[in-house]
Amino acid sequence: MTGVVLGIETSCDETAAAVVAFDCGIRSSVVLSQLEDHRAYGGVVPEIAARAHIEHLDGLIERAMAEAGVGFADLAGVAATAGPGLIGGVLVGLVTGKAIAAAAGVPFVAVNHLEGHALSARLSHGVEFPYLLLLVTGGHCQLVACAALGSYERLGTTIDDAIGEAFDKTARLLGMGYPGGPEIERTAGSGNARAFALPRPMVGREGCDFSFSGLKTAIRRITEERTLSPQDVADLAASFQAAVGDVVVDRARNAMRMFAERFPQGRTLVVAGGVAANAALRKRLETATKKSGFTVVAPPKELCTDNAAMIAWAGAERLQAGLTDALDAPGRARWPLMELAAARTTA
Ligand code: KG4
Ligand code: ZN
């Protein structure tokens, strides 16, 4: 196909717009983080997020189009995140995307945010289906067999907290700001990972579900029992990161076994989502996968955390497959990846 796809992302606390070409070229990608708007509250406030999206989205789209050097006449389609996410914000991006598509007279694609993360390694590395996906974000922790576009099978998920949530909650217990992941990683760099004996929930169990709440409780208990010195905080951050690494590696090993039985030709583990920015975790996974005969592919950091290039790309893939959406496509707070294929075939 010719032309470019405009992508819009507003499902959480990043307002983003991007222009992507069908040959995987990212022509522009602008992301405005609302971190400062939410910092005082220790987490994302949905109402503040939605208002900030309204305020900034138009300008960001203008910038993305200008940086890409394209006008609306160059668009082959418009893609916007339709969920899952904070519904107020989702609706801001969704109606904006629909309006531009209608005005430009081009097809519209309602993108599932998780599919955006899932396909990001195809944009950055041209990874072929089938592949195993470890999706690690602030709201999710899943192992998914990606068989084809729109065809995803969940092998395992968290039974309590998402992995990014565990990083954020632990960071808060240790007196760090939001989001906690980057700060835990930085602090862990000067800590001793063996200083605290923390639990490894689910390790050694069958299947590949995750659990992180026990780890968080153990850390809370330690913070309540003693006053932590700066070195203790670093040691605890390092011990937490090591425990999370053990859990993820153990679960991923089982998933690789399950995936290899189903898809003997697939030998790639894609790690995507905000937590994939964690270098220590990536290294642990690289070592583990080598032993299982898999190769780890992780998109660059700017494609791991929320962005609109991955949304534009998911839109490009869907457009190429002839999968477009009507202008009454709904926004959804909840929208499991597994429901995609079914929704498409009955559409
Ligand atoms: O994918 P993402 O940008 O947004 C969601 O869709 O959730 O992920 C955000 C999450 C936050 O919980 C944040 O703390 C975590 O990713 N994160 C990290 C790192 N960078 C971001 N977690 C651990 N280590 C990091 N370096
Ligand atoms: Zn995300």
Side-chain angles (χ1 to χ4, degrees):
M1 286 180 85
T2 56
V4 292
V5 179
L6 169 67
I8 296 171
E9 160 60 37
T10 57
S11 67
C12 193
D13 59 344
E14 261 95 26
T15 316
V19 174
V20 166
F22 289 94
D23 64 358
C24 291
I26 301 176
R27 303 279 292 271
S28 66
S29 180
V30 291
V31 181
L32 180 78
S33 169
Q34 304 175 1
L35 269 186
E36 291 312 319
D37 300 339
H38 301 279
R39 202 184 289 284
Y41 305 94
V44 179
V45 184
E47 184 61 18
I48 293 177
R51 281 169 193 275
H53 289 309
I54 292 176
E55 207 175 303
H56 300 294
L57 185 57
D58 288 1
L60 284 178
I61 292 172
E62 220 178 329
R63 227 180 91 197
M65 300 281 290
E67 280 180 22
V70 298
F72 289 136
D74 301 305
L75 294 181
V78 180
T81 299
L86 302 172
I87 196 66
V90 165
L91 291 175
V92 173
L94 190 59
V95 294
T96 306
K98 286 173 179 176
I100 295 173
V106 295
F108 176 70
V109 186
V111 173
N112 178 299
H113 178 85
L114 303 176
E115 186 175 52
H117 279 303
L119 300 177
S120 59
R122 286 169 59 75
L123 171 61
S124 62
H125 290 76
V127 172
E128 305 259 1
F129 290 116
Y131 55 88
L132 177 63
L133 167 72
L134 171 64
L135 181 62
V136 281
T137 74
H140 300 269
C141 187
Q142 303 182 355
L143 279 152
V144 181
C146 301
L149 181 68
S151 179
Y152 310 104
E153 187 190 332
R154 194 169 69 198
L155 304 179
T157 187
T158 179
I159 58 168
D160 41 56
D161 292 346
I163 186 166
E165 204 180 343
F167 269 95
D168 294 337
K169 286 179 178 172
T170 296
R172 201 203 276 220
L173 286 169
L174 297 181
M176 299 170 187
Y178 174 85
E183 215 165 325
I184 293 246
E185 182 173 19
R186 204 176 321 117
T187 314
S190 55
N192 172 7
R194 291 199 192 85
F196 291 90
L198 297 173
R200 265 69 174 161
M202 307 299 274
V203 167
R205 294 238 207 130
E206 256 180 54
C208 41
D209 282 341
F210 299 83
S211 168
F212 295 105
S213 72
L215 200 45
K216 180 193 63 200
T217 309
I219 288 173
R220 182 184 306 119
R221 210 165 291 140
I222 292 168
T223 60
E224 282 166 2
E225 275 166 8
R226 51 192 280 190
T227 311
L228 299 173
S229 69
Q231 189 56 50
D232 288 336
V233 170
D235 290 347
L236 206 41
S239 302
F240 167 80
Q241 197 169 261
V244 169
D246 283 349
V247 173
V248 171
V249 162
D250 179 82
R251 309 285 78 199
R253 262 197 213 113
N254 282 3
M256 285 187 275
R257 219 173 296 131
M258 287 158 76
F259 180 81
E261 276 171 24
R262 290 280 312 279
F263 301 98
Q265 75 277 35
R267 280 288 180 277
T268 306
L269 173 67
V270 169
V271 190
V275 183
N278 188 293
L281 190 65
R282 277 153 87 141
K283 200 178 249 168
R284 292 287 313 270
L285 281 164
E286 268 156 28
T287 312
T289 47
K290 238 176 243 155
K291 287 184 189 144
S292 304
F294 275 68
T295 309
V296 177
V297 174
K301 216 169 180 169
E302 63 276 14
L303 276 182
C304 277
T305 48
D306 284 351
N307 66 89
M310 68 179 189
I311 303 304
W313 176 249
E317 289 223 36
R318 289 193 159 264
L319 277 168
Q320 271 180 313
L323 297 167
T324 59
D325 293 272
L327 289 181
D328 63 353
R332 306 177 200 215
R334 213 188 135 270
W335 189 8
L337 209 40
M338 296 3 97
E339 282 175 16
L340 276 185
R344 298 285 162 182
T345 46
T346 53

Short mmCIF file of all heavy atoms in Angstrom, two decimals, residues 12-56:
data_model
loop_
_atom_site.label_atom_id
_atom_site.label_comp_id
_atom_site.label_asym_id
_atom_site.label_seq_id
_atom_site.Cartn_x
_atom_site.Cartn_y
_atom_site.Cartn_z
N CYS A 12 -3.73 6.03 28.45
CA CYS A 12 -3.29 6.14 29.84
C CYS A 12 -2.78 7.56 30.09
O CYS A 12 -3.54 8.50 29.90
CB CYS A 12 -2.24 5.08 30.15
SG CYS A 12 -1.94 4.91 31.92
N ASP A 13 -1.52 7.70 30.48
CA ASP A 13 -1.05 9.05 30.81
C ASP A 13 -0.03 9.59 29.82
O ASP A 13 0.72 10.50 30.12
CB ASP A 13 -0.50 9.10 32.24
CG ASP A 13 0.66 8.15 32.45
OD1 ASP A 13 0.84 7.24 31.62
OD2 ASP A 13 1.38 8.29 33.46
N GLU A 14 0.01 8.99 28.63
CA GLU A 14 0.83 9.56 27.56
C GLU A 14 -0.09 9.99 26.43
O GLU A 14 -0.93 9.20 25.99
CB GLU A 14 1.81 8.52 27.01
CG GLU A 14 3.21 8.64 27.58
CD GLU A 14 3.42 7.70 28.74
OE1 GLU A 14 2.71 6.68 28.78
OE2 GLU A 14 4.26 8.01 29.60
N THR A 15 0.07 11.24 25.98
CA THR A 15 -0.66 11.68 24.79
C THR A 15 0.34 11.53 23.64
O THR A 15 1.44 12.07 23.73
CB THR A 15 -1.07 13.16 24.90
OG1 THR A 15 -1.58 13.39 26.21
CG2 THR A 15 -2.14 13.50 23.87
N ALA A 16 -0.04 10.78 22.60
CA ALA A 16 0.95 10.52 21.55
C ALA A 16 0.33 10.48 20.17
O ALA A 16 -0.82 10.06 19.98
CB ALA A 16 1.67 9.20 21.84
N ALA A 17 1.12 10.93 19.18
CA ALA A 17 0.72 10.87 17.78
C ALA A 17 1.95 10.47 16.97
O ALA A 17 3.08 10.82 17.33
CB ALA A 17 0.20 12.23 17.32
N ALA A 18 1.73 9.71 15.89
CA ALA A 18 2.86 9.25 15.08
C ALA A 18 2.41 9.00 13.66
O ALA A 18 1.23 8.77 13.40
CB ALA A 18 3.44 7.96 15.67
N VAL A 19 3.38 9.07 12.75
CA VAL A 19 3.13 8.77 11.35
C VAL A 19 4.07 7.65 10.94
O VAL A 19 5.29 7.74 11.16
CB VAL A 19 3.35 10.01 10.46
CG1 VAL A 19 3.21 9.64 8.99
CG2 VAL A 19 2.35 11.11 10.82
N VAL A 20 3.50 6.56 10.42
CA VAL A 20 4.29 5.38 10.06
C VAL A 20 3.98 4.97 8.62
O VAL A 20 2.83 5.06 8.18
CB VAL A 20 3.97 4.22 11.06
CG1 VAL A 20 4.49 2.90 10.56
CG2 VAL A 20 4.54 4.53 12.43
N ALA A 21 5.02 4.54 7.90
CA ALA A 21 4.83 4.07 6.52
C ALA A 21 4.70 2.55 6.51
O ALA A 21 5.07 1.88 7.48
CB ALA A 21 6.02 4.51 5.67
N PHE A 22 4.19 2.00 5.43
CA PHE A 22 3.94 0.56 5.36
C PHE A 22 5.23 -0.26 5.31
O PHE A 22 5.22 -1.45 5.56
CB PHE A 22 3.05 0.22 4.16
CG PHE A 22 1.64 0.69 4.34
CD1 PHE A 22 1.23 1.93 3.85
CD2 PHE A 22 0.71 -0.07 5.05
CE1 PHE A 22 -0.07 2.38 4.04
CE2 PHE A 22 -0.59 0.36 5.25
CZ PHE A 22 -0.98 1.59 4.74
N ASP A 23 6.35 0.39 5.00
CA ASP A 23 7.63 -0.34 4.94
C ASP A 23 8.34 -0.32 6.29
O ASP A 23 9.55 -0.50 6.36
CB ASP A 23 8.53 0.27 3.86
CG ASP A 23 8.90 1.72 4.22
OD1 ASP A 23 8.42 2.23 5.26
OD2 ASP A 23 9.67 2.34 3.47
N CYS A 24 7.60 -0.11 7.37
CA CYS A 24 8.14 -0.08 8.74
C CYS A 24 8.85 1.22 9.08
O CYS A 24 9.46 1.33 10.14
CB CYS A 24 9.11 -1.24 9.03
SG CYS A 24 8.31 -2.83 9.10
N GLY A 25 8.82 2.20 8.20
CA GLY A 25 9.51 3.44 8.52
C GLY A 25 8.67 4.31 9.45
O GLY A 25 7.51 4.60 9.16
N ILE A 26 9.28 4.68 10.60
CA ILE A 26 8.59 5.61 11.50
C ILE A 26 8.94 7.01 11.02
O ILE A 26 10.08 7.45 11.15
CB ILE A 26 9.03 5.40 12.96
CG1 ILE A 26 8.72 3.96 13.40
CG2 ILE A 26 8.34 6.40 13.88
CD1 ILE A 26 9.20 3.61 14.79
N ARG A 27 7.97 7.70 10.45
CA ARG A 27 8.25 9.03 9.88
C ARG A 27 8.26 10.09 10.97
O ARG A 27 8.96 11.09 10.86
CB ARG A 27 7.21 9.36 8.81
CG ARG A 27 7.15 8.30 7.69
CD ARG A 27 8.27 8.53 6.68
NE ARG A 27 8.04 9.75 5.95
CZ ARG A 27 7.33 9.82 4.82
NH1 ARG A 27 6.84 8.72 4.29
NH2 ARG A 27 7.14 10.98 4.23
N SER A 28 7.48 9.88 12.03
CA SER A 28 7.53 10.78 13.18
C SER A 28 6.84 10.07 14.34
O SER A 28 5.99 9.20 14.13
CB SER A 28 6.81 12.11 12.88
OG SER A 28 5.43 11.86 12.69
N SER A 29 7.24 10.43 15.56
CA SER A 29 6.60 9.86 16.75
C SER A 29 6.78 10.83 17.90
O SER A 29 7.90 11.04 18.36
CB SER A 29 7.23 8.50 17.07
OG SER A 29 6.61 7.95 18.22
N VAL A 30 5.69 11.46 18.31
CA VAL A 30 5.79 12.42 19.41
C VAL A 30 4.97 11.92 20.60
O VAL A 30 3.86 11.43 20.45
CB VAL A 30 5.35 13.84 18.99
CG1 VAL A 30 6.34 14.44 18.02
CG2 VAL A 30 3.96 13.84 18.40
N VAL A 31 5.58 12.01 21.77
CA VAL A 31 4.93 11.53 23.00
C VAL A 31 5.02 12.63 24.04
O VAL A 31 6.10 13.15 24.30
CB VAL A 31 5.65 10.27 23.55
CG1 VAL A 31 4.95 9.78 24.81
CG2 VAL A 31 5.71 9.17 22.50
N LEU A 32 3.88 12.96 24.61
CA LEU A 32 3.88 13.93 25.70
C LEU A 32 3.48 13.19 26.97
O LEU A 32 2.38 12.68 27.08
CB LEU A 32 2.87 15.05 25.41
CG LEU A 32 2.80 16.10 26.50
CD1 LEU A 32 3.98 17.06 26.38
CD2 LEU A 32 1.49 16.87 26.43
N SER A 33 4.43 13.12 27.91
CA SER A 33 4.12 12.44 29.16
C SER A 33 3.43 13.42 30.10
O SER A 33 3.84 14.57 30.24
CB SER A 33 5.42 11.94 29.79
OG SER A 33 5.14 11.53 31.09
N GLN A 34 2.39 12.93 30.78
CA GLN A 34 1.67 13.79 31.73
C GLN A 34 2.18 13.62 33.16
O GLN A 34 1.52 14.01 34.11
CB GLN A 34 0.17 13.45 31.72
CG GLN A 34 -0.50 13.52 30.38
CD GLN A 34 -1.95 13.03 30.47
OE1 GLN A 34 -2.43 12.66 31.53
NE2 GLN A 34 -2.61 13.03 29.33
N LEU A 35 3.37 12.98 33.27
CA LEU A 35 3.88 12.62 34.60
C LEU A 35 3.71 13.72 35.65
O LEU A 35 3.23 13.47 36.75
CB LEU A 35 5.37 12.29 34.50
CG LEU A 35 5.68 10.82 34.24
CD1 LEU A 35 7.17 10.59 34.30
CD2 LEU A 35 4.95 9.96 35.26
N GLU A 36 4.10 14.95 35.29
CA GLU A 36 4.05 16.05 36.26
C GLU A 36 2.62 16.31 36.74
O GLU A 36 2.41 16.68 37.89
CB GLU A 36 4.68 17.31 35.68
CG GLU A 36 6.18 17.21 35.47
CD GLU A 36 6.91 16.65 36.70
OE1 GLU A 36 6.57 17.04 37.83
OE2 GLU A 36 7.82 15.82 36.51
N ASP A 37 1.64 16.11 35.84
CA ASP A 37 0.24 16.36 36.21
C ASP A 37 -0.24 15.39 37.28
O ASP A 37 -1.16 15.69 38.04
CB ASP A 37 -0.68 16.20 34.98
CG ASP A 37 -0.31 17.17 33.87
OD1 ASP A 37 0.34 18.18 34.18
OD2 ASP A 37 -0.66 16.92 32.71
N HIS A 38 0.36 14.18 37.30
CA HIS A 38 -0.14 13.13 38.19
C HIS A 38 0.75 12.88 39.41
O HIS A 38 0.34 12.22 40.34
CB HIS A 38 -0.27 11.81 37.42
CG HIS A 38 -1.20 11.90 36.24
ND1 HIS A 38 -2.57 11.82 36.37
CD2 HIS A 38 -0.97 12.07 34.92
CE1 HIS A 38 -3.14 11.92 35.18
NE2 HIS A 38 -2.19 12.09 34.28
N ARG A 39 1.97 13.39 39.36
CA ARG A 39 2.98 13.03 40.37
C ARG A 39 2.48 13.22 41.80
O ARG A 39 2.65 12.34 42.65
CB ARG A 39 4.27 13.81 40.14
CG ARG A 39 5.48 13.14 40.76
CD ARG A 39 6.75 13.99 40.62
NE ARG A 39 7.27 14.06 39.27
CZ ARG A 39 7.95 13.09 38.67
NH1 ARG A 39 8.17 11.96 39.30
NH2 ARG A 39 8.41 13.24 37.45
N ALA A 40 1.82 14.32 42.05
CA ALA A 40 1.39 14.63 43.42
C ALA A 40 0.40 13.59 43.95
O ALA A 40 0.24 13.44 45.16
CB ALA A 40 0.73 16.00 43.45
N TYR A 41 -0.24 12.85 43.06
CA TYR A 41 -1.26 11.88 43.48
C TYR A 41 -0.70 10.45 43.59
O TYR A 41 -1.41 9.54 43.97
CB TYR A 41 -2.44 11.90 42.50
CG TYR A 41 -3.03 13.28 42.35
CD1 TYR A 41 -2.60 14.11 41.31
CD2 TYR A 41 -3.97 13.78 43.26
CE1 TYR A 41 -3.10 15.40 41.17
CE2 TYR A 41 -4.47 15.06 43.13
CZ TYR A 41 -4.04 15.87 42.09
OH TYR A 41 -4.53 17.14 41.96
N GLY A 42 0.56 10.25 43.18
CA GLY A 42 1.20 8.93 43.29
C GLY A 42 0.67 7.93 42.30
O GLY A 42 0.88 6.73 42.43
N GLY A 43 -0.04 8.37 41.30
CA GLY A 43 -0.58 7.46 40.28
C GLY A 43 -1.37 8.28 39.28
O GLY A 43 -1.49 9.51 39.43
N VAL A 44 -1.92 7.60 38.27
CA VAL A 44 -2.64 8.32 37.22
C VAL A 44 -4.08 8.61 37.66
O VAL A 44 -4.80 7.72 38.09
CB VAL A 44 -2.67 7.48 35.92
CG1 VAL A 44 -3.43 8.21 34.83
CG2 VAL A 44 -1.24 7.17 35.47
N VAL A 45 -4.49 9.87 37.58
CA VAL A 45 -5.87 10.26 37.90
C VAL A 45 -6.64 10.34 36.58
O VAL A 45 -6.34 11.19 35.74
CB VAL A 45 -5.91 11.63 38.63
CG1 VAL A 45 -7.33 11.98 39.04
CG2 VAL A 45 -4.98 11.61 39.84
N PRO A 46 -7.62 9.44 36.36
CA PRO A 46 -8.29 9.36 35.06
C PRO A 46 -8.83 10.68 34.54
O PRO A 46 -8.67 11.01 33.37
CB PRO A 46 -9.41 8.35 35.32
CG PRO A 46 -8.92 7.51 36.44
CD PRO A 46 -8.11 8.43 37.31
N GLU A 47 -9.46 11.45 35.40
CA GLU A 47 -10.08 12.71 34.96
C GLU A 47 -9.03 13.72 34.51
O GLU A 47 -9.19 14.39 33.49
CB GLU A 47 -10.93 13.27 36.12
CG GLU A 47 -11.71 14.51 35.79
CD GLU A 47 -12.73 14.32 34.67
OE1 GLU A 47 -13.09 13.16 34.37
OE2 GLU A 47 -13.14 15.32 34.10
N ILE A 48 -7.94 13.79 35.26
CA ILE A 48 -6.84 14.71 34.88
C ILE A 48 -6.26 14.26 33.55
O ILE A 48 -5.97 15.08 32.66
CB ILE A 48 -5.75 14.73 35.99
CG1 ILE A 48 -6.33 15.38 37.26
CG2 ILE A 48 -4.51 15.47 35.51
CD1 ILE A 48 -5.36 15.40 38.44
N ALA A 49 -6.11 12.94 33.38
CA ALA A 49 -5.53 12.41 32.13
C ALA A 49 -6.40 12.77 30.95
O ALA A 49 -5.91 13.28 29.93
CB ALA A 49 -5.39 10.89 32.24
N ALA A 50 -7.71 12.57 31.06
CA ALA A 50 -8.61 12.84 29.95
C ALA A 50 -8.56 14.32 29.55
O ALA A 50 -8.49 14.66 28.37
CB ALA A 50 -10.04 12.44 30.32
N ARG A 51 -8.55 15.19 30.56
CA ARG A 51 -8.50 16.63 30.26
C ARG A 51 -7.19 17.01 29.59
O ARG A 51 -7.16 17.82 28.66
CB ARG A 51 -8.68 17.45 31.55
CG ARG A 51 -10.12 17.52 31.97
CD ARG A 51 -10.28 18.10 33.37
NE ARG A 51 -11.63 17.85 33.83
CZ ARG A 51 -12.66 18.63 33.56
NH1 ARG A 51 -12.50 19.72 32.83
NH2 ARG A 51 -13.86 18.34 34.02
N ALA A 52 -6.10 16.43 30.05
CA ALA A 52 -4.79 16.74 29.45
C ALA A 52 -4.74 16.24 28.00
O ALA A 52 -4.16 16.91 27.13
CB ALA A 52 -3.67 16.10 30.28
N HIS A 53 -5.34 15.09 27.73
CA HIS A 53 -5.37 14.60 26.33
C HIS A 53 -6.10 15.60 25.44
O HIS A 53 -5.64 15.93 24.35
CB HIS A 53 -6.08 13.23 26.25
CG HIS A 53 -5.30 12.10 26.85
ND1 HIS A 53 -3.99 11.84 26.53
CD2 HIS A 53 -5.66 11.15 27.75
CE1 HIS A 53 -3.58 10.78 27.21
NE2 HIS A 53 -4.58 10.35 27.96
N ILE A 54 -7.26 16.09 25.94
CA ILE A 54 -8.04 17.06 25.15
C ILE A 54 -7.20 18.29 24.84
O ILE A 54 -7.15 18.78 23.72
CB ILE A 54 -9.32 17.50 25.92
CG1 ILE A 54 -10.30 16.34 26.04
CG2 ILE A 54 -9.97 18.71 25.24
CD1 ILE A 54 -11.53 16.63 26.87
N GLU A 55 -6.47 18.75 25.86
CA GLU A 55 -5.70 19.97 25.72
C GLU A 55 -4.56 19.83 24.70
O GLU A 55 -4.28 20.75 23.94
CB GLU A 55 -5.11 20.30 27.10
CG GLU A 55 -4.83 21.75 27.34
CD GLU A 55 -4.37 21.95 28.77
OE1 GLU A 55 -5.13 21.55 29.70
OE2 GLU A 55 -3.26 22.43 28.95
N HIS A 56 -3.90 18.68 24.68
CA HIS A 56 -2.65 18.57 23.91
C HIS A 56 -2.75 17.80 22.60
O HIS A 56 -1.87 17.92 21.75
CB HIS A 56 -1.57 17.90 24.77
CG HIS A 56 -1.26 18.67 26.01
ND1 HIS A 56 -0.67 19.91 25.98
CD2 HIS A 56 -1.47 18.38 27.32
CE1 HIS A 56 -0.52 20.36 27.22
NE2 HIS A 56 -1.01 19.45 28.05
#
